Amino acid sequence: MSCCHYDAVGDGLDTAFTVDASRVTFGRGCLTELGDRARALGMTRVALFSDADVSGLAVFETSHRSLRDAGIDVVVYPDVAIEPTDESFKQAAAFASDTAPDGYVSVGGGSVIDTAKAANLYASHPDDFLAYVNAPVGEGAPVPGPLKPHIACPTTSGTGSEVTGIAIFDLLSMEAKTGIASPALRPTEALVDPDATDTLPAAVVACSGLDVLSHALESFTARPFVRRPAPGQPSLRPMSQGANPWSDLGCREAMRLLGRYLVRAVADATDREAREQTMWAATLAGIAFGNAGVHIPHAMAYAVAGQVRGFHPDGYPGSGPLVPHGMAVILNAPAVFRFTAATSPERHIEAAGHLGADVRDVAADDAGPVLAETIVAMMRAVGMPNGLSAVGYAESDCAGLADGALPQQRLLHNGPIDSDKPLLAKIFHDAIRYW
């Protein structure tokens, strides 16, 4: 038996997949709908999450005004940390517990949306911080009940956090990123307004757009759902269930849009068509990876971001060490796909074609190099650093980076190949420099 070209593999493996998604409203000006939508969800007292930069922008004022005009009491939390940590999550949760909102609104990038998810979780179901954190870093305990309604309003075209049940943070004691994953964390609704991206710096558009690209590529090449063990109970099927016919739809369209519009969106802030289409690609890829899951490039990225020593990119606030999430992901991606291509050459070739490569005569043995070279060309076109060496890493760091990536078992198990420490160290080595 097969479903949409996914052939059942064998006894004990899954034969079904589950589709989950937030309600999404997409279009220019849709943030003015926020107050009405919050009131329709029964919100009377809203915790409005943002960061220091976004809270000073017109997009935040539009959101705040819409809530006030709807007669909703608003308490503002403007202190979200860019690239949040366990400590910043705890501070946000304390704010939520103290103010006792009956609903949450997040206006910002993935850091803001993820922080609102975490605050909602720990204020609704208090527990030891590591209780809900993904195993083996934390206990991976299931969320014991529903959370308060949450409307996510992304201001970057990248993370897809507005449509996923995942919240990512730096665990300071490990110098690595990890996260919390549960369908309960998925925002109730998302308002995706491309107007919010008009003032984004080019570097932010590039990093967030390449995060979208890797969401689509990784979900498209993930271990297929029919190669995963069937859950003991249907309700326990994981969100990261592997590539499936539903996620494939979003991945294909997201890759096609990014191949056509991402470079334009980075090059010209006045190219409203390109920025809108990139934002739509982010939403599609977010829905896709929220149902399929990402894999090795993201697992590696958490080590890259967590162990950074001195690099700080142009266009990002602050001056402390920082490798933005999308940059940390894409720096690994070309090296990863050279290794994974043998598992499904046709998918890797198809992905390169969606991104604009001429793949008419590409042989199966060349699938990895073709996709890797296509990604590298896009990286160069939008000003990404030349591999891990350009953000401060050397070949001598590869073993330590592999140690940092290895705990990301949820992600590594979603990859199409088995990843141990020697393989991860080899891929990190290959990602040191690309041109």
Side-chain angles (χ1 to χ4, degrees), residues 62-158:
T62 296
S63 304
H64 197 180
R65 182 172 60 250
S66 181
L67 291 167
R68 295 196 310 267
D69 289 350
I72 295 171
D73 182 26
V74 182
V75 287
V76 177
Y77 187 79
D79 301 321
V80 169
I82 303 303
E83 304 295 336
T85 67
D86 52 329
E87 291 303 317
S88 71
F89 270 11
K90 291 174 186 176
Q91 292 163 10
F95 168 85
S97 296
D98 291 343
T99 55
D102 58 14
Y104 292 76
V105 171
S106 50
V107 179
S111 296
V112 172
I113 299 171
D114 285 1
T115 299
K117 292 176 184 177
N120 192 357
L121 170 62
Y122 287 101
S124 300
H125 303 288
D127 207 329
D128 179 77
F129 183 77
L130 289 177
Y132 301 118
V133 174
N134 298 330
V137 174
E139 298 172 27
V143 176
L147 307 187
K148 299 292 194 299
H150 174 194
I151 301 177
C153 308
T155 59
T156 61
S157 47

Side-chain angles (χ1 to χ4, degrees), residues 164-433:
T164 75
I166 301 167
I168 300 300
F169 64 95
D170 283 308
L171 186 59
L172 295 175
S173 62
M174 288 185 59
E175 295 186 335
K177 284 187 181 290
T178 184
I180 306 166
S182 169
L185 267 64
R186 183 178 285 110
T188 316
E189 294 195 27
L191 295 181
V192 185
D193 187 340
D195 283 347
T197 69
D198 288 346
T199 58
L200 284 179
V204 176
V205 177
C207 289
S208 59
L210 290 171
D211 190 23
V212 176
L213 175 61
S214 213
H215 289 159
L217 287 167
E218 291 174 57
S219 296
F220 194 62
T221 59
R223 189 184 303 263
F225 76 98
V226 291
R227 288 179 51 205
R228 301 181 67 96
Q233 299 172 234
S235 60
L236 297 180
R237 181 174 289 116
M239 290 189 303
S240 295
Q241 59 194 325
N244 61 77
W246 168 257
S247 62
D248 287 350
L249 294 172
C251 292
R252 288 185 169 108
E253 180 64 0
M255 288 186 283
R256 186 189 70 82
L257 290 171
L258 293 169
R260 182 171 181 179
Y261 292 107
L262 178 58
V263 174
R264 282 173 49 183
V266 173
D268 183 2
T270 67
D271 189 338
R272 286 167 63 84
E273 178 190 23
R275 293 216 164 179
E276 180 170 331
Q277 294 298 330
T278 300
M279 191 81 157
W280 179 231
T283 302
L284 292 173
I287 294 170
F289 98 81
N291 286 274
V294 289
H295 58 83
I296 303 170
H298 270 73
M300 295 172 66
Y302 295 159
V304 171
Q307 297 180 28
V308 60
R309 294 184 287 264
F311 179 80
H312 188 92
D314 295 335
Y316 278 79
S319 58
L322 174 69
V323 181
H325 174 65
M327 182 183 292
V329 171
I330 207 65
L331 291 181
N332 304 301
V336 171
F337 291 119
R338 287 181 182 272
F339 274 89
T340 60
T343 65
S344 55
E346 69 287 348
R347 283 197 163 236
H348 289 68
I349 293 169
E350 182 185 347
H354 288 310
L355 297 177
D358 183 353
V359 297
R360 287 172 294 182
D361 298 316
V362 175
D365 288 347
D366 295 324
V370 166
L371 180 54
E373 290 161 11
T374 303
I375 297 168
V376 168
M378 293 183 70
M379 290 168 59
R380 299 187 72 170
V382 298
M384 283 296 103
N386 182 9
L388 296 176
S389 62
V391 297
Y393 292 104
E395 292 181 6
S396 58
D397 295 312
C398 292
L401 289 167
D403 284 333
L406 201 57
Q408 309 302 328
Q409 290 297 306
R410 180 181 64 87
L411 302 179
L412 295 174
H413 285 162
N414 205 43
I417 58 175
D418 294 328
S419 302
D420 56 14
K421 181 178 175 180
L423 177 62
L424 290 170
K426 169 60 176 169
I427 299 174
F428 276 121
H429 179 274
D430 291 352
I432 288 290
R433 187 174 293 102

